[in-house]
């Protein structure tokens, strides 16, 4: 399942988001905002990574030392020698070398056994629950949309990278913005130089002319900073003179490219506090092992490039990344050498300020709920923690007053 399929089938983004003014903005709007009102030093930045399709948690954080794991998945299981050891019981998928490095550096938290009461095995309903933070009843607003409603009117505080607004950014009064990570194509050579000279405000011109000139100048600023990143999106070579800018990427794949663009925005002090990116196709019902390993390896590489690149970037130390999927998979493999929809799963939290380690208990592989893992951590506890300790607001503005234990990963 991809984000587009989820949005089309679920109908989660409805009248509320449209009424709130959900809209796509050009990259130049973000960089113009950074010029007018750059992000204040010390402001927390939350980057949400949504993995659509229900990634298999037991093939991601592998319980390699548990005989029940090998018994339930004789052809899918990874051996002790194959995994990247986290401790004497658990290891990461062999393709996750970047997150293994983050773990050793103490910058990766793994929250285990995460789900919600009465888990739903439908992709669409479960993802809607995660994005609205409302397991009991359907909710027309997203959990970060309610944060937007409570804290201001500027939609640029929360940005989704992609052509459609993720439901989690839809409020009743305010919706986040979206940006499309397509290539920026501007003239290069002599024509480009001439246009850069023209698109500059001059003393004495009217306010209207000044604004028009500044808009053009902002576009060239965006091209300089994001051109190389977005060129990587498109295979390179389509941005004229802008391809030789200050940022070079080895990014490959949808998620890596989106995160590279997010990092460019963070480096430019764009005043956005929340970025939402995504990756799809984790619904592995058949021939799972190679496919899932390739997908989770792509996720791992994107995360590693993004986080490593923050070390010398303004605001980089203030970034927290949360990566989740709508559910895990059943413990036992199916007859097609895949796995079917399950319940509890791991959530990754990473960043320079994160206290690395395990949080929540490891679910038993033998004490099951109709073949599925029993959950122990309500996902809304993770949301409450980042609302308070990254975005600096009372979690009740989004999650109400229900008791939700906070986690100590930050």
């Amino acid at each position: 399942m991809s984000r587009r399929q989820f949005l089309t089938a679920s109908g989660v983004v409805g009248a509320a988001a449209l009424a709130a003014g959900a809209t796509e903005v050009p990259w130049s709007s973000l960089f113009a905002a950074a010029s007018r009102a750059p992000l204040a030093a010390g402001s927390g930045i939350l980057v949400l990574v949504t993995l659509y399709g229900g990634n298999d948690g037991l093939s991601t954080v592998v319980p390699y030392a548990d005989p029940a794991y090998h018994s339930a998945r004789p052809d899918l299981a990874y051996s002790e020698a194959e995994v990247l050891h986290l401790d004497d019981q658990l290891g990461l998928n062999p393709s996750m070398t970047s997150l293994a490095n983050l773990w050793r550096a103490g910058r990766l938290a793994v929250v285990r056994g995460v789900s919600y009461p009465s888990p739903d095995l439908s992709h669409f309903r479960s993802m809607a629950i995660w994005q609205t933070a409302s397991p009991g009843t359907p909710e027309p607003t997203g959990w970060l949309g309610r944060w937007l409603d409570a804290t201001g009117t500027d939609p640029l505080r929360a940005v989704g990278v992609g052509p459609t607004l993720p439901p989690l950014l839809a409020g009743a009064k305010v919706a986040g913005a979206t940006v499309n990570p397509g290539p920026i194509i501007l003239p290069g050579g002599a024509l480009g130089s001439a246009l850069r000279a023209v698109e500059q405000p001059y003393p004495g011109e009217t306010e209207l002319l000044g604004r028009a000139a500044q808009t053009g100048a902002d576009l060239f600023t965006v091209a300089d900073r994001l051109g190389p990143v977005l060129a990587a999106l498109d295979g390179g070579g389509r941005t004229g003179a802008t391809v030789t800018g200050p940022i070079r990427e080895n990014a490959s794949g949808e998620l890596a490219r989106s995160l590279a663009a997010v990092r460019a925005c963070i480096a430019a002090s764009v005043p956005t506090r929340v970025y939402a990116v995504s990756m799809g196709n984790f619904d592995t019902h058949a021939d799972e092992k190679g496919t899932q390993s390739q997908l989770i390896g792509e996720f791992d590489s994107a995360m590693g490039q993004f986080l490593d690149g923050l070390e010398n970037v303004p605001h980089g130390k203030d970034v927290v990344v949360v990566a989740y999927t709508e559910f895990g998979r059943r413990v036992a493999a199916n007859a097609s050498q895949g796995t079917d929809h399950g319940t509890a799963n791991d959530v990754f939290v990473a960043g320079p300020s994160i206290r690395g380690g395990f949080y929540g208990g490891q679910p038993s592989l033998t004490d099951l709920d109709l073949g599925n893992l029993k959950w122990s951590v309500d996902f809304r506890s993770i949301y409450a923690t980042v609302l308070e300790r990254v975005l600096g607001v009372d979690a009740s503005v989004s999650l109400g007053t229900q008791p939700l234990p906070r986690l100590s990963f930050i």
Side-chain angles (χ1 to χ4, degrees), residues 141 169 349:
T141 58
L169 300 185
V349 186

Side-chain angles (χ1 to χ4, degrees), residues 111-359:
V111 187
R112 302 176 294 187
V114 184
S115 187
Y116 51 85
S118 302
D120 195 302
L121 302 189
S122 159
H123 288 295
F124 307 109
R125 179 64 190 135
S126 190
M127 186 57 82
I129 287 170
W130 275 83
Q131 296 212 9
T132 62
S134 181
T137 56
E139 165 62 48
T141 58
W143 69 282
L144 286 167
R146 297 193 290 276
W147 164 74
L148 286 169
D149 282 341
T151 57
T153 58
D154 185 357
L156 297 186
R157 288 171 297 147
V159 170
V161 180
T164 50
L165 184 77
L168 57 91
L169 300 185
K173 298 179 294 185
V174 183
T178 63
V179 290
N180 195 330
I184 297 173
I185 303 175
L186 293 179
L191 177 58
S193 298
L195 286 173
R196 284 173 187 267
V198 169
E199 300 289 10
Q200 295 293 331
Y202 290 97
E205 64 186 359
T206 65
E207 180 180 356
L208 188 59
L209 286 174
R211 286 182 182 177
Q214 188 60 54
T215 299
D218 289 342
L219 188 57
F220 277 100
T221 299
V222 172
D224 285 340
R225 298 189 181 187
L226 279 182
V229 177
L230 301 180
L233 263 171
D234 201 40
R238 288 185 52 187
T239 55
T242 66
V243 76
T244 55
I247 299 174
R248 279 289 186 187
E249 296 294 337
N250 295 317
S252 61
E254 174 189 358
L255 181 60
R257 299 186 310 248
S258 296
L259 286 173
V262 168
R263 193 174 75 240
C265 291
I266 292 170
S269 298
V270 169
T272 295
R273 301 289 304 278
V274 175
Y275 295 92
V277 298
S278 66
M279 178 177 172
N281 301 318
F282 283 93
D283 194 17
T284 49
H285 287 282
D287 301 324
E288 173 183 308
K289 193 167 186 177
T291 301
Q292 194 272 344
S293 184
Q294 184 270 324
L295 288 168
I296 205 65
E298 184 176 321
F299 159 76
D300 171 89
S301 177
M303 288 277 285
Q305 287 185 45
F306 176 69
L307 289 163
D308 288 346
L310 291 175
E311 291 183 355
N312 299 311
V313 164
H315 310 287
K317 64 180 176 54
D318 302 316
V319 175
V320 171
V321 183
V322 175
Y324 72 98
T325 187
E326 67 264 38
F327 46 57
R329 318 294 293 191
R330 291 175 69 81
V331 173
N334 62 29
S336 300
Q337 298 310 314
T339 54
D340 298 324
H341 302 179
T343 52
N345 209 338
D346 305 302
V347 171
F348 292 115
V349 186
S353 61
I354 293 303
R355 298 187 185 97
F358 290 120
Y359 296 84

